Amino acid sequence: MKVKRQALEAGDVLIEDIYGKTQRPIICKDTVLEKQHLDILEAFFIDEVMIDSKQVDGEEMSRRNNPEQRPRSSFVEDYLRVVGRFKESFKNWQSGEKINIHELRGLLIPLLEEGVGQRAEIFSLHYYVPQSDYLYHHAVSTAALAAFLAKEMSYSKGDWLQIGLAGALCDCGMARVSLSFLGNKGKLSAREKEEIRQHPIYSYQMLKLIPALQEGVRLAASQHHEREDGSGYPLGIRGEQMHPFSKIVAVADSFNAMTCERPHRVKLSPFQT
């Protein structure tokens, strides 16, 4: 849908690259627009752009100003609701609260059960991720994709639900990383990188005393940045030392991270990953 710049809102999703006077796009296709993007469009005198008719909040353009005409709940709308609740939980963890696994299971499991039958939507969740809330979207997207992959690999329902929970919780240790690091949009220093690379250890520590989780969930949290050739972190173990849950979560985590716009890296098309 072609929309005038003045009618754009934060949360609109581009479906075409935006070019200035060079051959490199100034804003890439699939970007979820934020205020700074709207400012860029104005600075480059871009009068109109093509956006997806379905917005970040799940509403169609024609229904944006008419709440009574909103469509019934969809997987994307459920996903966005869960992200909002997960954000609240994460902020509680940052304040020192323990993870309420029963509350988290009640929030995530219905979404995972719905998501395993939504192949197209699962692989399109990166469209709905604003950079400012990347961390919370990443957790829920990784959970949904990890559960989907595990089911496709013929894991039992009990296991693919646990793998989905592992995807959601693998970065819970980021709640123990300095808030200044998480909000930094510039280049990370060596000290900041090293601190962030400790988050899998923090995640394991936060999960190790929760009896309702399989050990594979805790190991996935500590191993999801390890790699088959031993080049990962925090321990540099090799593939044969990794728990199978860890490998599935690592794939889901990497795919989502590469296809979303993050504070420190430019996103890639899913076809480039």
Side-chain angles (χ1 to χ4, degrees):
M1 176 182 295
K2 186 172 288 188
V3 176
K4 292 288 186 182
R5 186 188 73 239
Q6 293 82 355
L8 292 170
E9 296 182 4
D12 290 335
V13 182
L14 290 179
I15 60 173
E16 289 184 351
D17 290 334
I18 304 298
Y19 293 90
K21 295 184 179 180
T22 69
Q23 294 185 348
R24 290 190 65 179
I26 56 174
I27 307 177
C28 294
K29 175 184 176 181
D30 298 336
T31 294
V32 179
L33 294 179
E34 296 184 358
K35 183 180 183 302
Q36 63 265 34
H37 298 121
L38 303 180
D39 292 341
I40 290 171
L41 293 175
E42 182 176 3
F44 279 84
F45 301 103
I46 306 297
D47 291 327
E48 56 187 17
V49 300
M50 293 291 293
I51 66 169
D52 194 340
S53 62
K54 188 155 191 155
Q55 305 307 303
V56 137
D57 61 2
E59 294 182 29
E60 294 181 10
M61 287 286 291
S62 61
R63 299 176 179 178
R64 178 184 284 171
N65 297 316
N66 191 343
E68 294 182 359
Q69 294 184 16
R70 288 180 180 176
R72 290 179 297 176
S73 179
S74 68
F75 173 67
V76 169
E77 289 169 329
D78 291 338
Y79 160 79
L80 292 166
R81 176 183 55 81
V82 170
V83 169
R85 294 275 303 280
F86 186 89
K87 180 177 180 179
E88 294 174 6
S89 296
F90 188 90
K91 289 185 177 298
N92 290 336
W93 304 339
Q94 287 178 307
S95 300
E97 289 189 17
K98 293 182 179 180
I99 294 172
N100 185 331
I101 194 62
H102 300 293
E103 181 180 289
L104 199 64
R105 283 173 59 90
L107 179 65
L108 284 168
I109 285 179
L111 185 74
L112 300 181
E113 291 176 329
E114 183 182 5
V116 293
Q118 302 282 343
R119 177 189 294 265
E121 297 283 20
I122 287 287
F123 285 95
S124 300
L125 292 178
H126 57 280
Y127 290 150
Y128 306 97
V129 184
Q131 188 182 100
S132 57
D133 279 350
Y134 164 75
L135 193 61
Y136 321 113
H137 279 266
H138 178 64
V140 181
S141 295
T142 299
L145 180 56
F148 173 84
L149 293 175
K151 186 173 186 297
E152 290 291 299
M153 295 170 68
S154 299
Y155 277 83
S156 68
K157 181 176 181 179
D159 279 347
W160 60 252
L161 286 174
Q162 288 281 311
I163 291 168
L165 288 173
L169 291 167
C170 66
D171 284 343
C172 66
M174 292 294 283
R176 294 190 178 177
V177 172
S178 170
L179 291 175
S180 62
F181 294 179
L182 298 181
N184 181 7
K185 294 187 177 182
K187 186 176 180 180
L188 294 174
S189 68
R191 185 173 67 88
E192 289 171 334
K193 287 181 182 178
E194 184 57 32
E195 172 68 12
I196 288 176
R197 285 166 71 95
Q198 296 304 305
H199 80 268
I201 296 175
Y202 301 151
S203 294
Y204 184 85
Q205 291 172 341
M206 292 171 68
L207 301 177
K208 67 180 180 180
L209 297 180
I210 300 178
L213 296 175
Q214 294 182 18
E215 181 63 9
V217 175
R218 291 185 276 270
L219 290 174
S222 66
Q223 296 176 352
H224 69 285
H225 282 294
E226 304 288 2
R227 295 295 180 259
E228 290 285 333
D229 61 359
S231 63
Y233 64 87
L235 301 178
I237 63 175
R238 292 185 173 272
E240 64 273 13
Q241 299 170 289
M242 295 174 64
H243 192 280
F245 286 13
S246 305
K247 297 182 180 184
I248 296 172
V249 172
V251 170
D253 174 80
S254 297
F255 176 84
N256 184 257
M258 288 188 288
T259 55
C260 290
E261 188 173 355
R262 295 181 285 164
H264 310 294
R265 292 192 180 181
V266 176
K267 68 179 180 179
L268 300 175
S269 162
F271 299 104
Q272 294 177 283
T273 57

